[in-house]
Structures are given as C-alpha cells and as structure tokens.
Amino acid sequence: MSEQSCLIQGCTNRVYAPAGTGSLCKEHFLNFLTWRRRRGTGMFRKYAAMTMGERDAVVLEWGKTA
C-alpha cells in the first residue's frame, strides 16, 4: 500500500479508496458517498461513467463542504 494520506487538508489517516485522481481515508470516503447519494440517484450513477478530470471536479466541489 502507498504511503499517501487522505486528500482532505489536515487529515493524516491512511488511504482507503480513490476519489478522482486523489485518495480518501475511510471516514471521508463514506462521507463522500453519502454526499453523492444526497445529490440524487442520477449523480450517483453518472459518477461511474465520468472521466478522471470530471471526477476531480466533483471531488473538489465536495471538498468545499467537507
């Protein structure tokens, strides 16, 4: 496993899952999934078909709320 840390500033937890081209710890990843689901089923399904650049934009948008 890589020595990366969570992409949320100030979080030093180990990487759990990818989020765009970055990675999140387990707690932030679960928060990200919840946020996507609250935006609607369409957004949740659309994310799987997005390019990495598009995913990065979504992660940045979520990061402002985290």
Side-chain angles (χ1 to χ4, degrees), residues 18-40:
T21 55
S23 298
L24 297 171
C25 67
K26 187 173 185 176
E27 178 182 347
H28 286 119
F29 180 70
L30 294 175
N31 288 340
F32 179 56
L33 290 179
T34 301
W35 177 81
R36 281 181 22 213
R37 284 187 183 119
R38 285 184 182 151
R39 294 197 61 208

